[in-house]
Amino acid sequence: MLDNRVQPKLIIHGGAGSSLKGKEAVAAVRRSLYNVIEEVYDLLLTGADARDAVVLGCQLLEDDPRFNAGTGSVLQSDGQIRMSAALMEGNSQRFSGVINVGRVQNPINLAKFLQDSADRVLSEQGAAELLRELNAPVYNPLTDIRLQEWMLERQDNFDKTMAGVVAERELVKASEPGRGTIGVVALDSQGCLAAGTSTGGKGFERIGRVSDCAMPAGNYATTKAAVSCTGIGEDIIDECLAARVVVRVTDGLSLAEAMQRSFTEASHNGRDFGAISIDATGAIAWGKTSQVLLSAYHDGDRIGDTLEWQGDELTNFVV
Ligand code: GLY
């Protein structure tokens, strides 16, 4: 506790998927994630609320071309970038988001704007209209490496169903699938929780495919717990993962138990994803069925990460 206040907690992710290639790649991703953790945790220490901290964290991760959200988003089958983002604040238990929006630097800002709107989840045309209304500058989130990946796949007639691992700067070959999204979960000094998630999608998907990211399956928060997911959106939707964990905490399980039970079920069902979470007591937990989860956290004392977390456990936590 800080005076009468709660010790803030923070966890972020930059995707889940196949293992990073080599120590240098791990070190580079760690640097990116720690920079975000440090800036957002400093904000939380000033007394900022969880929602603002989550938005800042998502903006920073969207702006880092290493990750598949905002700048550096993967291309869909028709060569276009369509991004999705969602924000949920625990106290108001209010979800907002955008689905398949293009030409904007920070999709999370649209989700933030929609928090106070009567219509809180907008898809393509509606999201584009909102951008116009807000006079948001037109922005192209395309990076050379994403374009090269798409062109490589086009030669192979898109026989891969998922773009390469998000956090690697080298071109990813079709035989090395991975997936990504970014996400932030925070507990602020008033004890409020929030979660935000943002993605460029799976990459190479059909036009109109909808990500889990802007659904409660992929991003959910109440006064009890908050969760952000990453990985194959269809798997996350089928498990309704984020809401499932939060409901289990609401029904009395500890966060560690709720994550463990949910990931055990997911593993039996052959799912491929990861998730990060915090509960109202300040417990931080993460889980994966994929090979790697690119996540880092601040537990109030120190920064840690999950980049080299391997082995048979599906979940882990700090309290
Ligand atoms: N989880 C990101 C997506 O599948 O769209």
Side-chain angles (χ1 to χ4, degrees):
M1 300 279 277
L2 298 170
D3 310 316
N4 279 336
R5 297 183 299 157
V6 173
Q7 177 73 60
K9 301 289 173 83
L10 177 66
I11 185 164
I12 65 175
H13 70 73
S18 44
S19 296
L20 294 168
K21 292 193 289 293
K23 292 264 173 223
E24 269 176 37
V26 172
V29 173
R30 184 171 280 132
R31 256 195 318 278
S32 281
L33 293 175
Y34 281 26
N35 285 342
V36 175
I37 285 280
E38 280 162 11
E39 190 166 340
V40 178
Y41 199 76
D42 282 351
L43 180 70
L44 281 166
L45 287 179
T46 67
D49 67 37
R51 191 174 87 164
D52 288 346
V54 163
V55 170
L56 174 64
C58 288
Q59 287 167 347
L60 294 170
L61 290 162
E62 286 175 341
D63 287 346
D64 187 332
R66 188 176 293 288
F67 303 115
N68 172 23
T71 305
S73 287
V74 293
L75 279 63
Q76 300 196 341
S77 56
D78 63 344
Q80 297 297 310
I81 290 176
R82 295 182 185 88
M83 301 167 286
S84 300
L87 179 64
M88 189 157 183
E89 205 274 324
N91 271 13
S92 59
Q93 208 175 318
R94 191 179 292 174
F95 183 99
S96 59
V98 285
I99 296 169
N100 288 333
V101 64
R103 301 199 158 269
V104 62
Q105 183 173 354
N106 294 113
I108 194 68
N109 290 352
L110 297 178
K112 183 184 178 195
F113 177 86
L114 290 169
Q115 275 280 300
D116 302 316
S117 163
D119 304 313
R120 279 189 270 114
V121 183
L122 297 182
S123 65
E124 286 133 278
Q125 192 188 346
E129 281 293 321
L130 178 62
L131 280 174
R132 260 195 296 277
E133 270 170 47
L134 296 175
N135 279 323
V138 172
Y139 180 82
N140 185 358
L142 180 66
T143 59
D144 287 349
I145 198 153
R146 294 302 180 209
L147 182 59
Q148 286 166 30
E149 274 172 18
W150 184 84
M151 287 169 68
L152 207 64
E153 269 311 297
R154 192 174 63 151
Q155 283 164 15
D156 295 340
N157 208 20
F158 298 111
D159 55 6
K160 188 166 58 134
T161 55
M162 175 78 74
V165 114
V166 284
E168 290 181 290
R169 296 295 268 264
E170 317 90 62
L171 204 57
V172 175
K173 294 174 195 66
S175 57
E176 295 163 357
R179 36 242 147 234
T181 286
I182 63 90
V184 179
V185 178
L187 174 72
D188 67 29
S189 59
Q190 303 302 313
C192 303
L193 290 156
T197 308
S198 180
T199 188
K202 286 197 294 192
F204 315 126
E205 61 266 69
R206 291 177 66 118
I207 302 168
R209 182 254 182 190
V210 175
S211 167
D212 62 288
C213 160
M215 297 186 194
N219 188 80
Y220 200 67
T222 66
T223 54
K224 304 287 186 200
V227 180
S228 167
C229 302
T230 175
I232 299 201
E234 284 71 7
D235 284 1
I236 295 166
I237 293 166
D238 288 347
E239 295 293 314
C240 201
L241 184 65
R244 191 183 195 103
V245 170
V246 172
V247 167
R248 284 190 155 139
V249 173
T250 308
D251 286 347
L253 290 194
S254 70
L255 183 65
E257 289 166 339
M259 288 284 279
Q260 182 60 34
R261 195 174 290 186
S262 303
F263 273 85
T264 301
E265 290 163 350
S267 174
H268 288 151
N269 291 336
R271 308 302 189 193
D272 191 351
F273 53 50
I276 57 172
S277 57
I278 302 181
D279 74 8
T281 71
I284 305 174
W286 55 90
K288 64 172 173 63
T289 54
S290 47
Q291 280 176 22
V292 73
L293 173 67
L294 309 181
S295 172
Y297 56 86
H298 200 309
D299 66 5
D301 291 325
R302 56 177 278 276
I303 299 178
D305 68 70
T306 69
L307 301 187
E308 288 165 294
W309 172 48
Q310 268 154 9
D312 293 337
E313 303 111 9
L314 293 168
T315 62
N316 209 335
F317 65 97
V318 286
V319 286

